């Protein structure tokens, strides 16, 4: 049984108020390590009981479909405006599920499979498996049953709860009927009909709100264990009570432990936010550089299923170091794809290193189109929530599929980012509305080309207009 008061660890110092430094540092590490699990399962719970992004609350093992492209009412971090979502929360505790995918006729789509720790462990879609009709079997950890006839392949889930994030490319409102017809033919069926649970394991009542994060982490770590290597790393959190079984150690925790957990959470959160704010890598250090990191989601080191690339190129070299990267990825782009499926680039600054703000107007000039095999877009987000920005034009993103864009005679494309609509009609055609305050645009590159993946493609910086 773990020592929930932390007396099993030698003290290495104290804070000015007497709080043990070693426990604060350990709690910060635990926050960074556990943030993806807690945030992910919190969103799973939201999907089950409240719905989100225009999708109704939907029980386990059924798809919820968005009936329109995301807009400012879609309160989900860095949601895209290029595809229509289909989200399913899977509970495999009752056995495997059979997944049917329709023929999309060559149109881009992807079904991304994410475990409870936010690891992308399988893909079905145009890049990974093609666009033809097919059946797939999704099985829980340790399953050893018989695969039924007609199944194209088996998708092995690392945890018993899984998120399937589906995206169908949609070229605007007129294309929605085609996408809706595809959504209706996307189905999940229980293989053996056994009952599944109806909700996530609940944290123990009576835990103070300030310790809720650690209580959720304690309960969910036990129910959704990670890989063996990560479980070995978790042993270091024993002095915090996170390995306690049975009654929660946080209902009546020692005040010294409470202080350490609260301070550690603040410290861990500040570190995640700081790295998120600084960017997610690849910016090159120049003012206004975009942080475009094809390897943002390379923290999955243990589970490579259908459609994934099991290669050292797509695995973080340092397991412990990858925990911070995983937390940052969950914070800025929860349920984002591996770089070989899509690359996300973000910037907070103009060409002179000044924060982007709607009080000014900006230009973003592409001398030639970004190198992609599918399509690209620039989407506008406010800060600090990274939600889409309400605007009178109803335009949340702009890209190579946007109708009416005006190109220069040399083929270049200049986008205009501002709060107010440009007076010039040509500029208005290429306008991406910004909020009145600070903002962060994101460039998405779907099925990126080699120049994006090897870092040789340099995204143009945003320049303050005038």
């Amino acid at each position: 049984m773990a020592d929930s008061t932390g007396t099993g660890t030698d003290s290495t110092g104290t804070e000015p108020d007497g709080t043990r430094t070693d426990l604060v540092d350990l709690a910060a590490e635990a926050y960074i390590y556990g943030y993806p699990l807690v945030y992910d399962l919190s969103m799973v719970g939201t999907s089950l009981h409240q719905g989100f992004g225009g999708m109704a609350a939907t029980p386990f093992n059924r798809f919820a479909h968005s009936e329109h492209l995301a807009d400012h009412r879609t309160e989900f971090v860095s949601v895209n405006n290029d595809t229509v979502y289909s989200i399913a929360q899977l509970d495999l505790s009752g056995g495997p599920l059979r997944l049917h995918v329709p023929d999309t006729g060559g149109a881009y789509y992807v079904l991304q499979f994410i475990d409870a720790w936010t690891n992308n462990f399988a893909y079905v879609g145009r890049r990974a498996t093609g666009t033809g009709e097919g059946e797939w079997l999704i099985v829980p950890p340790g399953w050893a049953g018989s695969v039924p006839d007609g199944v194209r392949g088996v998708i092995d889930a690392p945890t018993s709860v899984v998120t399937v994030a589906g995206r169908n490319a949609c070229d605007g409102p007129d294309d929605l009927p085609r996408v809706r017809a595809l959504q209706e033919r996307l189905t999940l069926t229980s293989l053996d009909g056994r009952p599944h649970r109806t909700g996530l394991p609940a944290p123990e009542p009576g835990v103070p709100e300030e310790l809720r994060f650690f209580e959720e982490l304690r309960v969910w770590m036990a129910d959704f264990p990670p890989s063996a290597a990560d479980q070995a790393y978790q042993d270091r959190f024993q002095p915090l009570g996170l390995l306690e079984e049975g009654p929660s150690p946080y209902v009546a925790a020692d005040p010294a432990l409470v202080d350490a957990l609260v301070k550690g959470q603040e410290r861990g959160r500040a570190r995640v936010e700081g790295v998120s704010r600084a960017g997610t890598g690849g910016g090159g250090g120049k003012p206004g550089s975009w942080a475009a990191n094809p390897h943002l989601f390379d923290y999955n080191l243990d589970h490579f299923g259908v459609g994934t690339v099991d290669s050292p190129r797509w695995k973080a070299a340092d397991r412990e170091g990858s925990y911070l990267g995983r937390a940052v990825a969950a914070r800025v782009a929860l349920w984002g794809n591996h770089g070989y499926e899509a690359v996300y680039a973000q910037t907070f600054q103009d060409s002179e290193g000044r924060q982007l703000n709607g009080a000014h107007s900006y230009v973003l000039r592409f001398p030639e189109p970004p190198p992609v095999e599918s399509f690209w877009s620039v989407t506008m987000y406010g800060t600090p929530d990274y939600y889409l920005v309400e605007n009178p034009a109803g335009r949340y993103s702009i890209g190579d599929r946007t109708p009416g864009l005006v190109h220069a005679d040399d083929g270049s494309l200049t986008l205009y980012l501002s709060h107010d609509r440009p007076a010039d009609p040509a500029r208005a055609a290429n306008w991406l509305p910004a909020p009145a305050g600070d903002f962060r645009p994101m460039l998405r590159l779907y099925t990126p080309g080699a120049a994006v993946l090897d870092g040789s493609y340099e995204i143009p910086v945003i320049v303050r207009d005038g």
Side-chain angles (χ1 to χ4, degrees):
M1 191 69 79
D3 178 6
S4 63
T5 65
T7 55
T9 300
D10 292 333
S11 176
T12 58
T14 60
E15 299 280 304
D17 62 359
T19 306
R20 283 175 46 182
T21 304
D22 61 324
L23 288 184
V24 175
D25 291 342
L26 192 62
E29 290 181 26
Y31 177 87
I32 292 169
Y33 173 82
Y35 175 81
L37 176 70
V38 173
Y39 188 29
D40 177 270
L41 292 179
S42 296
M43 290 306 303
V44 170
T46 297
S47 301
L48 298 175
H49 304 298
Q50 301 172 33
F52 70 93
M55 291 177 280
T58 306
F60 276 124
N61 303 336
R62 284 176 49 191
F63 274 102
H65 301 295
S66 178
E67 299 181 359
H68 53 76
L69 291 166
D71 59 22
H72 63 278
R73 295 165 293 187
T74 309
E75 293 187 351
F76 189 80
V77 60
S78 299
V79 67
N80 84 61
N81 183 246
D82 303 307
T83 66
V84 178
Y85 282 87
S86 296
I87 303 290
Q89 308 300 346
L90 310 186
D91 174 56
L92 302 170
S93 61
L97 295 170
R98 191 162 180 159
L99 167 69
H100 173 81
V101 296
D103 187 345
T104 68
Y108 179 87
Y109 88 99
V110 62
L111 295 176
Q112 171 194 0
F113 295 79
I114 309 135
D115 73 9
W117 291 87
T118 72
N119 295 303
N120 299 326
F121 67 90
Y123 294 91
V124 170
R126 190 172 80 171
R127 175 199 60 82
T129 59
T131 62
E133 186 174 11
E135 301 274 338
W136 301 86
L137 191 67
I138 311 167
V139 305
W143 185 77
S146 299
V147 178
D149 294 337
V151 170
R152 182 174 171 185
V154 174
I155 297 173
D156 291 293
T159 54
S160 60
V161 165
V162 165
T163 297
V164 182
R167 302 169 176 90
N168 276 282
C170 183
D171 292 340
D174 292 342
D175 195 29
L176 279 171
R178 177 191 65 84
V179 175
R180 292 291 293 136
L182 292 172
Q183 289 176 325
E184 291 173 1
R185 300 198 297 274
L186 183 65
T187 60
L188 289 161
T189 307
S190 176
L191 188 61
D192 52 20
R194 288 190 294 167
H196 297 251
R197 58 188 162 198
T198 58
L200 294 168
E204 186 170 322
V207 173
E209 184 61 30
E210 61 185 354
L211 300 182
R212 181 174 178 83
F213 173 89
F214 290 101
E215 172 64 3
E216 289 176 334
L217 180 57
R218 181 187 74 91
V219 172
W220 290 339
M221 278 199 319
D223 263 67
F224 308 105
S227 65
D230 285 351
Q231 287 190 65
Y233 179 83
Q234 286 178 180
D235 288 345
R236 68 195 293 111
F237 302 135
Q238 185 178 32
L240 302 176
L242 286 171
L243 305 186
E244 290 277 9
E245 299 177 359
S248 173
Y250 305 129
V251 172
D254 184 283
L257 177 62
V258 174
D259 287 346
L261 292 172
V262 170
K263 290 178 179 177
Q265 179 170 341
E266 292 174 353
R267 187 173 298 176
R269 182 187 293 117
R271 191 173 180 200
V272 172
E273 290 294 331
V275 176
S276 300
R277 179 71 178 178
T280 50
K286 296 188 299 184
S289 296
W290 294 71
N293 185 359
H295 301 286
L296 179 61
F297 297 93
D298 288 3
Y299 46 78
N300 174 22
L301 303 177
D302 306 294
H303 305 287
F304 295 89
V306 173
T308 60
V309 179
D310 186 0
S311 163
R313 183 185 182 190
W314 297 103
K315 298 178 184 178
D318 177 9
R319 180 179 292 270
E320 291 191 15
S322 74
Y323 299 141
L324 177 59
R326 181 176 65 178
V328 171
R331 173 67 183 92
V332 302
L334 182 68
W335 302 343
N337 293 285
H338 273 102
Y340 45 77
E341 185 70 40
V343 165
Y344 315 94
Q346 64 174 356
T347 186
F348 293 87
Q349 299 177 343
D350 66 14
S351 59
E352 297 186 21
R354 298 169 297 200
Q355 167 66 49
L356 298 169
N357 186 279
H360 307 282
S361 298
Y362 304 89
V363 296
L364 172 59
R365 181 179 178 272
F366 291 96
E368 53 189 36
V372 295
E373 295 180 13
S374 293
F375 57 94
W376 65 270
S377 70
V378 180
T379 307
M380 179 64 69
Y381 299 97
T383 64
D385 295 324
Y386 308 130
Y387 293 161
L388 296 174
V389 175
E390 183 175 9
N391 65 89
R395 176 179 282 181
Y396 304 94
S397 65
I398 193 168
D400 57 359
R401 299 175 302 147
T402 302
L405 291 180
V406 178
H407 290 75
D409 293 341
D410 63 1
S412 64
L413 176 66
T414 300
L415 306 181
Y416 299 91
L417 288 61
S418 61
H419 181 59
D420 297 324
R421 181 193 299 269
D424 178 69
R427 288 191 169 206
N430 295 3
W431 176 45
L432 181 59
D438 292 348
F439 62 85
R440 180 213 66 175
M442 178 176 282
L443 173 66
R444 284 185 169 84
L445 306 165
Y446 291 87
T447 322
V452 175
L453 296 181
D454 66 20
S456 59
Y457 173 66
E458 186 172 347
I459 304 170
V461 297
I462 295 173
V463 179
R464 187 183 292 186
D465 195 11

